[in-house]
Amino acid sequence: MAELAGQIKRMNGGINQLLEQIFGFSRRCLFRVISMGPIPNHLAFIMDGNRRYAKKCGLEEGSGHKAGFSALMLMLQYCYELGIKYVTIYAFSIDNFRRQPEEVQCLMDLMLEKIKSLLEKESIVHQYGIRVYFIGNLALLNDQVRDAAEEVMKATAKNSRVVLLICIAYNSTDEILQAVKKSCINKLDNIEASGSYKHEDSDIEAKDMENQEKKIQLVDIEENMQMSVAPNPDILIRSSGETRLSNFLLWQTGNSQLCSPAALWPEIGLRHLVWAILNFQRSHSYLEKRKKQL
Amino acid sequence: MLSLLSSLLSLLFVFLISFFIITSHFSFPLSLLKLLGFIKFTASRDDDDNYKRDEGTYVVGEEELQRELMPRHVAVIMDGNRRWAKREGLLTSQGHEAGAKRLIEFSELCFKLGIHTVSAFAFSTENWGRHKIEVKCLMSLIQHYLKSKIQYFQREETRVSIIGNLTKIPESLRQTIHEIEEATKSYKKKHLILAIDYSGRLDILRACKSIVHKSEAGLIRKEDVDEAMIERELLTSCTEFSSPDLLIRTSGEQRISNFFLWQLAYTELFFSSVLWPDFDKDKLVEALVSYQRRERRFGCRV
């Protein structure tokens, strides 16, 4: 009896493996077809809907986020298989600190656990040679999470195949503010270093002020942005059907394709990714034409 | 053998993808009627009030709107004038003219429904790259409309502001802008903002330059620079409600196209497949109902 059960189990395992191989093979064929058209260089995700998923499935509070993490690993695998070089994810917003303390603590614990797991040999980081960046106001995190994040960034600094940007304790307005502050401080320091510009003739002073102002360019702010390590996202996907940016990559998504599938984040799958990319391919030639016009 | 199998599978997926493109607009079961409907999908008008749209919502009446849940500031990216003109067999300039008419009607409707501020993306910094004749035509259209509507806006007690770089626009347009802003600056209940030669990034850059200038002049300290200060320096600080609650973009494109960037942090986005000159009262009500149904959490649990 036990032998029979064991045999059935082994058969099931075998069938599962076979199915997995077939699906994997089909998926790679599908990706080959899609790759005939332009593939986005950078994809960004707002992983919304974990709590609603937990409620929907009658799970306990933290399980939604755990299911969300599994969905994330799957999406990363698809993205890197497809040849997308940069993937950015919105893991934790500065606004999220205002949630219930228990939930924030639960999220911090989960993030610490998952950040540490990135350093393991079997992790996706080593499988795909991912360079990891943590973008955000890391000073707002507790010491353990921040140290783990810095360790991962250091450990993956030499990887160059693909890039994963994890936005944690992040707000776009905060990122822009820090970049503006840095640019202002740099410019003011330059002005101080080159001496005073005060003259008695007010016309000369006004002209000098204008020249100084002209010295701050768009590129000054851009290079001080934390996200300057990656090009602008081509597609921004927000799950759970909400259509808003929620203070994510406001500066960088000025010309990005926005997608909002209705599926909650743990339910997101290959079909949503494929659909987003097909939409991107549809408008790509028009956008390239417009870029050349500028 | 393997390469033959993979080619067959690839071919299968090509058909499947085409199938997905057609069926993604419809819910199951697929019907011939809906398949025929797909052929005239992109800019169709629907007179029947009770049709079911692809997103599964019904066209609604004004009765469904709640006054207390009205957005205070609605922004609109008026996309689709040229495509509308092409579809109607008209010139591009006539498309833009229809778009301008639509904007006046749209803002009138919004103000009637209790919305305080309406902002419209009339001309982007990137639009300078369009054909010279079209740009010239757009500039004269804007000037004509602004000049001819001064009395209308005064009668309606609507304040009109124009935001943008404004250095490249013709001198005559700049004068008209000054005229209309002066004539309507005292009105407080309704505010129409037109973004002309506007770019979200350049707006933030301008704010940055202004902060440097003030810091250098000793008016502010470097340490006091915060988000509120940047917001005050943006061009949208001319209105009381500088961040839009709702942004509508017509013609089916799902992009911000460098319109407001900072200001859209928590804005609800509504994308309509209808072309701008066709965006009538029903479509506006639909956008507002969609807005009122949304749960705005601002990052926290409500």
Side-chain angles (χ1 to χ4, degrees):
Chain A
M1 196 62 198
E3 209 182 284
L4 188 64
Q7 272 185 343
I8 291 172
K9 219 174 176 178
R10 274 195 299 274
M11 235 171 67
N12 267 342
I15 291 173
N16 276 338
Q17 239 186 350
L18 182 66
L19 280 173
E20 248 178 66
Q21 286 193 343
I22 291 174
F23 286 144
F25 183 67
S26 318
R27 188 176 68 237
R28 281 190 289 279
C29 289
L30 174 63
F31 285 170
R32 224 185 298 171
V33 168
I34 295 172
S35 308
M36 292 292 125
I39 292 289
N41 194 26
H42 182 176
L43 215 61
F45 291 105
I46 298 180
M47 308 183 292
D48 198 12
N50 294 328
R51 292 179 296 175
R52 272 168 282 171
Y53 177 79
K55 206 172 174 182
K56 184 172 148 187
C57 299
L59 304 168
E60 57 174 37
E61 281 273 335
S63 320
H65 295 295
K66 289 199 178 115
F69 182 78
S70 313
L72 171 64
M73 288 297 114
L74 214 55
M75 288 304 267
L76 286 179
Q77 184 192 344
Y78 297 153
C79 287
Y80 296 136
E81 265 182 26
L82 201 46
I84 296 169
K85 183 154 184 203
Y86 297 90
V87 176
T88 303
I89 58 171
Y90 201 7
F92 194 85
S93 159
I94 294 178
D95 297 319
N96 294 155
F97 279 116
R98 289 185 286 149
R99 289 186 179 178
Q100 295 293 324
E102 307 83 48
E103 191 189 342
V104 175
Q105 188 55 45
C106 171
L107 275 164
M108 287 294 143
D109 292 338
L110 177 69
M111 282 194 288
L112 181 62
E113 181 195 324
K114 297 305 174 190
I115 292 172
K116 281 190 172 157
S117 73
L118 289 176
L119 290 168
E120 283 158 23
K121 285 220 169 68
E122 319 82 46
S123 80
I124 196 172
V125 163
H126 291 99
Q127 195 184 349
Y128 291 100
I130 305 178
R131 179 162 187 183
V132 181
Y133 287 99
F134 284 92
I135 309 281
N137 200 339
L138 302 185
L140 296 173
L141 296 167
N142 66 46
D143 291 335
Q144 283 179 307
V145 178
R146 187 175 49 251
D147 291 339
E150 277 162 10
E151 204 184 322
V152 169
M153 282 199 278
K154 208 167 150 188
T156 59
K158 293 215 176 68
N159 296 344
S160 58
R161 260 186 72 204
V162 285
V163 182
L164 173 63
L165 301 108
I166 303 175
C167 291
I168 187 168
Y170 174 88
N171 251 0
S172 190
T173 44
D174 182 67
E175 186 198 4
I176 296 172
L177 170 68
Q178 302 306 333
V180 163
K181 265 185 168 167
K182 270 195 212 144
S183 320
C184 291
I185 290 171
N186 285 343
K187 288 304 161 192
L188 289 170
D189 288 346
N190 283 343
I191 290 165
E192 279 173 23
S194 36
S196 172
Y197 279 80
K198 286 194 173 44
H199 295 270
E200 277 180 18
D201 189 343
S202 59
D203 284 336
I204 298 175
E205 189 180 340
K207 200 175 175 194
D208 279 337
M209 202 60 69
E210 199 190 13
N211 287 338
Q212 284 154 38
E213 281 179 45
K214 274 188 185 153
K215 284 176 188 167
I216 286 199
Q217 302 295 332
L218 217 56
V219 65
D220 297 317
I221 300 184
E222 277 175 337
E223 62 192 20
N224 283 314
M225 292 274 197
Q226 281 190 297
M227 282 293 297
S228 62
V229 293
N232 294 331
D234 297 297
I235 309 177
L236 171 62
I237 299 177
R238 182 183 183 135
S239 58
S240 89
E242 306 281 14
T243 27
R244 49 176 183 259
L245 298 170
S246 292
N247 214 339
F248 182 56
L249 301 184
L250 299 172
W251 179 275
Q252 295 84 351
T253 52
N255 287 305
S256 310
Q257 174 95 6
L258 306 173
C259 296
S260 47
L264 301 172
W265 179 253
E267 295 167 342
I268 202 128
L270 182 62
R271 67 191 186 285
H272 304 108
L273 178 66
V274 167
W275 184 243
I277 293 175
L278 288 175
N279 272 326
F280 164 78
Q281 290 183 338
R282 192 171 54 88
S283 50
H284 184 256
S285 56
Y286 168 71
L287 284 176
E288 288 296 299
K289 218 181 352 176
R290 268 191 54 192
K291 269 191 210 161
K292 286 190 184 131
Q293 271 180 350
L294 290 171
Chain B
M1 181 69 192
L2 204 64
S3 60
L4 177 67
L5 186 62
S6 72
S7 315
L8 280 172
L9 266 169
S10 308
L11 208 62
L12 173 67
F13 280 124
V14 167
F15 286 124
L16 274 176
I17 284 163
S18 333
F19 181 71
F20 279 139
I21 290 167
I22 297 168
T23 60
S24 71
H25 294 288
F26 314 108
S27 52
F28 275 114
L30 196 64
S31 76
L32 185 65
L33 222 67
K34 287 186 178 173
L35 203 61
L36 286 173
F38 173 69
I39 294 166
K40 44 174 185 148
F41 173 75
T42 33
S44 57
R45 279 183 205 236
D46 285 280
D47 295 321
D48 183 5
D49 276 343
N50 289 324
Y51 77 102
K52 197 165 190 177
R53 300 192 92 226
D54 42 341
E55 303 96 72
T57 55
Y58 285 94
V59 171
V60 293
E62 212 175 312
E63 319 80 53
E64 277 218 30
L65 287 174
Q66 297 175 60
R67 196 97 187 166
E68 59 277 10
L69 293 177
M70 274 305 169
R72 289 166 310 184
H73 180 170
V74 172
V76 65
I77 301 179
M78 308 177 287
D79 200 8
N81 293 335
R82 291 183 296 179
R83 271 169 280 175
W84 182 87
K86 198 172 176 186
R87 192 194 76 199
E88 301 290 315
L90 301 168
L91 300 168
T92 308
S93 55
Q94 289 168 301
H96 289 306
E97 191 149 344
K101 274 204 191 97
R102 180 57 70 193
L103 175 61
I104 303 290
E105 285 164 18
F106 175 86
S107 53
E108 201 177 306
L109 269 165
C110 284
F111 295 135
K112 231 184 255 176
L113 290 170
I115 295 165
H116 179 272
T117 307
V118 173
S119 46
F121 203 10
F123 192 87
S124 155
T125 305
E126 277 120 25
N127 291 151
W128 289 114
R130 286 191 183 180
H131 202 267
K132 279 200 180 86
I133 298 173
E134 189 188 347
V135 171
K136 204 172 175 185
C137 160
L138 270 165
M139 289 292 135
S140 45
L141 178 73
I142 295 172
Q143 185 174 342
H144 165 76
Y145 258 85
L146 287 178
K147 213 170 177 89
S148 61
K149 292 286 178 190
I150 291 181
Q151 284 178 343
Y152 164 80
F153 286 121
Q154 282 179 314
R155 216 170 38 239
E156 297 291 319
E157 293 186 6
T158 306
R159 183 178 167 194
V160 178
S161 300
I162 283 87
I163 60 172
N165 190 6
L166 304 183
T167 49
K168 283 197 210 168
I169 60 173
E171 179 60 34
S172 49
L173 177 55
R174 212 174 298 136
Q175 281 199 8
T176 309
I177 287 173
H178 179 75
E179 232 177 278
I180 196 170
E181 282 186 333
E182 278 299 307
T184 58
K185 67 181 180 191
S186 57
Y187 304 123
K188 294 195 192 313
K189 290 214 175 105
K190 305 175 200 169
H191 200 164
L192 174 64
I193 301 176
L194 289 176
I196 298 176
D197 193 10
Y198 182 86
S199 153
R201 285 192 182 185
L202 292 179
D203 195 3
I204 297 173
L205 175 66
R206 224 190 110 272
C208 181
K209 284 182 180 179
S210 167
I211 289 172
V212 166
H213 179 56
K214 285 187 179 169
S215 188
E216 223 262 326
L219 295 166
I220 53 168
R221 295 180 304 168
K222 289 183 250 184
E223 310 80 64
D224 293 339
V225 178
D226 60 6
E227 289 186 19
M229 187 180 289
I230 294 184
E231 220 163 291
R232 278 194 296 274
E233 296 294 333
L234 292 171
L235 291 168
T236 41
S237 58
C238 62
T239 182
E240 194 186 334
F241 308 108
S242 55
S243 293
D245 297 299
L246 173 65
L247 170 81
I248 298 170
R249 180 175 186 147
T250 54
S251 91
E253 295 301 323
Q254 303 206 340
R255 270 189 300 277
I256 308 298
S257 295
N258 207 6
F259 188 25
F260 296 145
L261 297 181
W262 178 285
Q263 297 89 334
L264 291 183
Y266 299 100
T267 305
E268 296 292 332
L269 310 173
F270 183 84
F271 297 108
S272 171
S273 54
V274 163
L275 301 173
W276 174 245
D278 289 334
F279 197 80
D280 57 13
K281 183 180 177 186
D282 287 336
K283 306 289 182 291
L284 171 61
V285 168
E286 201 185 305
L288 291 170
V289 169
S290 165
Y291 168 81
Q292 294 193 347
R293 283 192 189 140
R294 296 185 194 192
E295 193 193 334
R296 302 183 80 184
R297 297 187 294 274
F298 300 95
C300 323
R301 185 197 287 275
V302 168

